[in-house]
Amino acid sequence: MPADRKHPYEPRCICNMQAGSQMIKLRGKSKALVRLFYLDEHKSCIRWRPSRKHERAKITIDSIHEVCEGMRTEVFRRFANNNFDPNCCFNIYHGDQVESLDLVSTNGEEARTWITGLKYLLAGISDEDSLAKRQRTRDQYPFNCSGCFLTSCCKWLRQTFSEADKNGDGNLSIGEVLQLLHKLNVNLPKQKVREMFQEADTDENQGSLTFEEFCTFYKLISTRRDLYLLMITYSNHKEHMDLNDLQRFLENEQKMVNVTKDYCKMIINQFEPCSENQTRMVLCIDGFTNYMRSPAGDVFNPEHYQVNQDMTQPLTNYYIASSHNTYLTGDQLLSQSRVDMYAYVLQAGCRCVEVDCWDGPDGEPIVHHGYTLTSKILFKDVVETINKYAFAKTQYPVILSIENHCTVPQQKKMAQHLMEVLQDKLDLSNINVNESRRLPSPELLKGKVLVKGKKLPANIDAEAEEGDVSDEDSGEEDEEEEEQINGDVRFCVLCKFLCRRRKSMRLSRALSDLVKYTKSVRVHDIETQAYMCSWQVSSLNESLTNQIMQLKPAQLVRLNQRQLLRVYPFNYRVDSSNFNPQPFWNAGCHLVALNYQTEGRMLQLNRAKFAANGNCGYVLKPKCLCKGAFNPMLEDPLPGHRKSQLVLKIISGQQLPKPKDSMLGDRGEIIDPFVEVEIIGLPIDCNKQQTRVVDDNGFNPIWEETLVFTLHMPQIALVRFMVWDHDPIGRDFIGQRTIAFKSMMPGYRHVYLEGMEEASIFVHVAINDITGKVTFYYISFLFCINVATEILTVVEGEVHFQNENFLTIYSPPLVKGSTDCYTKEDFLNRRYSDDVSSKDSRSTSQSASLRRPPSPPNTPHHIRKDFLNQHPLPQCSYSAPKNSLYNNHNLAESESSSLSSLDSLDLSTLQSRFPDNQQQTMGTLQREMNALFEQKMREIRCHSPLFLRGKS
């Protein structure tokens, strides 16, 4: 924690917590267990004993959401013989399911000690996102420590060392080291391990490693080959990168613009651990590794941690993060209802929460899942929690989706609680909207709570305190009555509307008046309703929405352009499972409600979706979903628009753990990992590819494989990285990271697996525009050049014929400064032969450092010249933004990006490839592009009239 945030009571609180306290742990309605609670030596988790869970009896500090004083939880309220002193009571909310640990200390001072100490520990993480948490953990990693590596105090490495020291003598024997390496998924030959062990064992006590010696040993086994090759490539075979090398790397590979020397100096001062190297202004392998493993080297665009989209458009132009049955902690039948879930989802970025209201005792409405055995909570407590946490993380509006089953008297009570608790958050009188009655923007509604519910029709007497509301007027489909839908609802294709048995209910004027922009209405006719007033919201279950999407996708898109539509899970999902939200996002559905209490693939997609805009709960929809005709189900939904090609080079993995569900745990075999990449978007874009399997290596597996994807609509796509452990009878899931396509950064990047401290995969990201005449002209041009007979120059897209002694090629992608010079002899030695060429010629081409596509057979000189005259290369339209260090942050809109491969790095050729008098400007992975073009262009040649000429 920074010094300026140091708590004055840290030493006393932390020391007392580490010493331990006898406290009562409440469980259920009557069980009270006396346990010794203490903070572990690393200040990373709370433990207690005795416990049948043994080492698993702990709560990590990072998993704690909140620490509350007093008897605020339902466990305290329901506990039999509840005569505890409130000053001795406190509870800890923790975990993905927001569980509550309810504790009673022996005295009030001891309770305050724990509350103060826990809040101090939480102060360092409460305002940080997951990436910052992970970086704080990596600050404990040996390569990230400032100053001398050997004298650094690294919590992570110390904990690893202590766990490996089985006999507790403060030293590690070779046997203990071998066991540790197996646990860390390191599969090295024993002889190699012994050599590194001996190299690190430098003191008089031979045969064992102290902690400092173990740090040296760990550094020996964890030096990254891939990063080392990358560093020496850009440093021209030096053991460090100077300012020019670093600047060139950032511009050529990471696609940063306006990189200054001062910026490079800042990187060296921040990430280089050696003070001597800092003085010399050079970055060695340790510093380079630190930088590449910092947030600056993450695949996620750092600008997207804040709101980066236009927030002044109508609400109908946004996806809105939404929760289903927000109050539930588990399944839909038997689980607990808790107000804490509202705090959890609101802080997680959710902007639409659901409140199912029913008549309760003593005139107080309650919240629970109707006709089930779920527990009940007070409506007033829910509103108070929403008021407290609605804008804790973001100021953009919260939609309160009320499912009203109450009688009029308790509806009035609901309205009273809403007005008394939320107060000015409900006041929308100062919101100015235009005469078209389009919904206001999230920017205008900052700090406001919108009540979504039924509203009295305009023909009711204005003085009446209540009135009847029919489904035909403004009803909403009740989720609890969904089982009756099959007999009551039918989707009529010919009549193009949804119809249902007409019902009515009695509605209070006070509650009706709180509804303004989000009036609940039933979907009657998706075609005509799209042109009605936009101040309304419809709710459909996933099954009905799917039917509409299959039969009338374009009409559904049109409806979503005009009014809000909420999609919620089908009633048969009693286990609180989630549906795939992507198809509904494809159709522009705004409020795709998910069960936030159920972790899994679907919630991971939801997190990735909304992380693209600072996790504020609102993401701007693509323009085609906001205006105009669009059908997401077509094979070419955007004819005439450019498509994007995503080229992912999966290079390596780092510290991949064994699967959580591994039967043998740490004692099991070392994993055999492979990476699977999935594109999730429009149906035409959905694709999945995987790398080969690397046997027996979870510590630093190397794949070096390129995966290529084509996307018609990248603005809406998600990219999902999954790591699996191959097994003879199947595969075991290790971890994943899902990222919005438009949030991906180009160049060499680390993809950190979600929820894991150190596990990552190292990739290279490139995006290319593959549509239009530009790509065809470039390909045709390459195939028409016969460099043995004609030498020409291509600069800024212009073609010039020159003499036969020199050639300048402007290589793809068209990036300023990417001009490489080669003599005619270089090209004769390096060009690729055609399929019918001799083996000797092919072997020569394969050894070339610069790869070029083959020349087409039977292509006379005059045909090449005529072709160039008729189809000149397009002018380069590249222009770098002036207000950002990164070029084309939004990869969905980028026109081109470099492509290359580490497998092309041959250290023996570095001097000849980059002579001292020639500045290196081409990206190290970029040279692989032509090899990829060769493979793709062979297919094109078979269908191109240019190459069919002269054939029978």
Side-chain angles (χ1 to χ4, degrees), residues 696-920:
D696 294 335
N697 193 341
F699 188 73
N700 57 353
I702 303 294
W703 290 287
E704 290 266 338
E705 292 193 32
T706 300
L707 310 179
V708 183
F709 302 91
T710 299
L711 294 92
H712 292 69
M713 192 172 176
Q715 302 95 325
I716 205 173
L718 303 175
V719 183
R720 182 172 172 84
F721 298 86
M722 291 167 286
V723 182
W724 300 86
D725 176 20
H726 177 72
D727 189 271
I729 59 174
R731 61 182 186 177
D732 294 320
F733 180 72
I734 294 177
Q736 67 84 37
R737 177 85 180 275
T738 307
I739 308 166
F741 182 93
K742 59 186 178 181
S743 294
M744 292 180 65
M745 294 292 291
Y748 289 102
R749 303 289 169 181
H750 281 94
V751 181
Y752 292 95
L753 303 186
E754 187 175 352
M756 299 184 184
E757 293 180 354
E758 293 294 330
S760 64
I761 55 178
F762 188 47
V763 302
H764 183 273
V765 181
I767 304 295
N768 302 299
D769 177 16
I770 60 170
T771 61
K773 296 181 179 180
V774 172
T775 302
F776 176 75
Y777 287 169
Y778 172 72
I779 293 170
S780 301
F781 168 70
L782 285 177
F783 277 104
C784 288
I785 295 178
N786 186 339
V787 295
T789 59
E790 190 66 55
I791 304 300
L792 48 87
T793 302
V794 184
V795 178
E796 300 289 345
E798 297 181 1
V799 181
H800 306 281
F801 291 89
Q802 295 186 359
N803 58 52
E804 296 188 0
N805 297 323
F806 195 81
L807 173 68
T808 302
I809 285 291
Y810 194 88
S811 302
L814 300 180
V815 181
K816 287 187 176 180
S818 294
T819 305
D820 293 321
C821 300
Y822 301 91
T823 65
K824 176 180 177 180
E825 182 179 358
D826 290 334
F827 260 81
L828 290 175
N829 292 333
R830 290 185 167 104
R831 64 189 178 94
Y832 266 87
S833 304
D834 192 33
D835 295 335
V836 297
S837 300
S838 65
K839 294 183 179 179
D840 292 339
S841 177
R842 180 175 296 278
S843 64
T844 300
S845 66
Q846 288 175 343
S847 64
S849 60
L850 177 65
R851 301 181 179 181
R852 295 293 177 187
S855 300
N858 304 321
T859 309
H861 172 75
H862 71 276
I863 295 181
R864 296 198 309 274
K865 207 165 197 178
D866 292 343
F867 181 85
L868 291 173
N869 290 334
Q870 296 173 17
H871 305 289
L873 285 180
Q875 294 289 326
C876 174
S877 58
Y878 171 88
S879 60
K882 297 182 179 180
N883 58 349
S884 172
L885 277 174
Y886 292 99
N887 173 16
N888 294 332
H889 275 311
N890 187 346
L891 290 185
E893 301 296 334
S894 66
E895 298 198 6
S896 60
S897 183
S898 69
L899 169 67
S900 56
S901 168
L902 279 174
D903 57 18
S904 66
L905 296 180
D906 183 359
L907 300 185
S908 63
T909 64
L910 285 176
Q911 294 297 331
S912 61
R913 194 181 299 182
F914 301 112
D916 294 337
N917 60 352
Q918 179 181 327
Q919 184 183 27
Q920 176 189 354

Side-chain angles (χ1 to χ4, degrees), residues 291-343:
Y291 174 72
M292 293 302 293
R293 287 188 65 80
S294 74
D298 191 30
V299 72
F300 188 83
N301 190 335
E303 290 186 355
H304 289 188
Y305 284 116
Q306 289 80 39
V307 175
N308 56 86
Q309 299 177 357
D310 179 11
M311 303 301 289
T312 62
Q313 300 185 30
L315 286 180
T316 47
N317 287 6
Y318 296 87
Y319 300 109
I320 306 172
S322 306
S323 169
H324 172 249
N325 287 349
T326 311
Y327 45 87
L328 291 181
T329 60
D331 64 69
Q332 307 282 310
L333 297 178
L334 302 171
S335 67
Q336 293 290 310
S337 303
R338 299 228 306 251
V339 296
D340 315 304
M341 288 303 297
Y342 288 93

